[in-house]
Amino acid sequence: MLLIQRAYELMAENRLREAEFMFKAVLKENNNNGHALFGLGQLCIELADYDSAIYYLRRACENLPRELDPLFTLANCFVIVGSVVDAKTVLEYTLSIARASARAHYELGQFYLDHGFIENARKIFEEGISCENEPVTPHIIYEAAQLSATSKLPSYVKKLEHLLEIYSNDQQLKVVIYYALGKCQHRLGNYQQAFDAFKMANDTQIQLCEFRTKDMLPFFTQLREHFSDIYFNQPTNKVTTTFTPTFIVGLPRTGSTLLEQMLVQHSNIGSIGECTVLSDTIVPFLAKRAEAPFPYCVSNLNTSVLDYCRNLYIDEIKDMRVGNEVVINKLPANFQNIGMIYKIFPNARFIHLTRNFGATAWSVFSNHFGANEPYFCSLTEFKLYAQAQIDMMEHFKKYIPQNIFTLSYEDLLKHPAKALNQTLHFLEQKFEPECLEFYLDKRSVSTLSKAQVRKPISKAPLTNWHHYETYMSELLNDDHNAQTNLASP
């Protein structure tokens, strides 16, 4: 076991080949050591060697029949490679052998939710609430609070209040509990109590953040100074690609999941989701090459370097098996990368989504983001971040207006056909009526909007936040009716 423990330590240090050697050394002594097989399976996922991962994980499951983690990891690996039926089979089997496990209920419920089986998800989450309490229980109630009948919500409130006592020393779980309480009270029409719960969630989570939004402002200044006249006046490479790289950018909770779900119903449009290859792979490559941080590493890029960066992005698209004429990346924070993207792909298209500031701020304030980042859990922090994003988009629109199309969330909800026509025209595609039937699609959606996009368009998001306008004024003494970007489409 000491070798296996050391192998996991090496994995944590990203010394993957050394970890692999140790796991295999254990298997030389005992070819059926389940923990070594499980470790190798996880390591192969890190290396993106999914066929080997599945092989090792299957064997781990056979040799660790009483352990659930290998089964959850195998199911996740099947999801990664697109084998949704196999993932479903594994998770349903796991629940069949572990009916008392809240975690088994949560994993299967999340799978159903991600793939549009909303009623199945609801039933599984409700069953999971009756299991013995586990750290995953608050997460189950958070999901169920948004799916169950309102008649069940008072019992959820009582259980959540009890969980606050149980997990009084676990700040991260308290955050989830407070958000779940807010969701329950909102649906019960207890808006003051809902606001108080959401505020407690925000106040607790902000204490877990290791930085503040003001710490990012010098970076945004650097972006504007670097990606300016000299940069954009340089000639771009003549690039011919078989697809149009398209980026949906903006603030969180401005409708990127809804728009993506609509657009991918089009026969010529695909998506790689919220792909981070730019920040995780391309920026580190450029920074190492130039021995300078971003954005300064994006300077004097010759043709061969640009070709290499371009191929890194294209390889990611190929790995995800997306071969459409238009390929969407819907990571909202890519607004920070517009200057670099334009240099790599001069034909890139940027769809900038905006939304009423009050509605956006409330949606962020009342939803649980797993990442402990300040603009996700404080209205004042979010306001600062929103202004920085507005300034960045206005900056880039001065230089490449032809590459940027601004669309408001309100227009998308009020006039979906017209908004889609305009967006598709920007992408040089013709309207297809299937785009309006987005809610019938069962493709995986894992963002906070995964349940909403399984239903026809609702205009409720336009006004839901009005219940809290007075309460918000106590935290934000400002004009809530401003738009998150004042530019018109």
Side-chain angles (χ1 to χ4, degrees), residues 140-185:
I140 294 176
I141 302 178
Y142 177 81
E143 300 294 356
Q146 301 170 74
L147 302 175
S148 296
T150 54
S151 59
K152 292 183 178 290
L153 299 183
S155 66
Y156 294 174
V157 170
K158 288 182 180 179
K159 178 143 190 169
L160 288 165
E161 290 172 345
H162 179 57
L163 290 173
L164 274 176
E165 298 175 7
I166 295 175
Y167 297 112
S168 59
N169 295 322
D170 190 324
Q171 298 304 304
Q172 198 69 65
L173 277 182
K174 283 171 67 178
V175 169
V176 180
I177 294 168
Y178 284 129
Y179 275 114
L181 277 168
K183 294 292 185 184
C184 289
Q185 298 291 9

Side-chain angles (χ1 to χ4, degrees), residues 100-136:
S101 167
R103 173 83 185 279
H105 284 84
Y106 178 74
E107 295 292 343
L108 180 57
Q110 281 293 349
F111 174 86
Y112 284 146
L113 195 55
D114 287 352
H115 292 85
F117 301 102
I118 305 300
E119 186 61 17
N120 293 28
R122 180 190 64 76
K123 290 178 181 177
I124 294 297
F125 287 138
E126 289 178 355
E127 288 178 12
I129 292 173
S130 65
C131 294
E132 186 174 340
N133 291 330
E134 298 178 27
V136 78

Side-chain angles (χ1 to χ4, degrees), residues 8 13 18 27 46 60 72 143 155 178 192 202 259 262 274 289 326 334 359 449:
Y8 275 110
E13 297 168 9
E18 294 173 69
L27 290 176
E46 290 292 317
F72 296 141
E143 300 294 356
S155 66
Y178 284 129
Q192 176 69 68
N202 279 254
L259 180 60
M262 289 175 153
E274 295 188 352
R289 171 187 171 273
V326 175
N334 270 329
S449 302

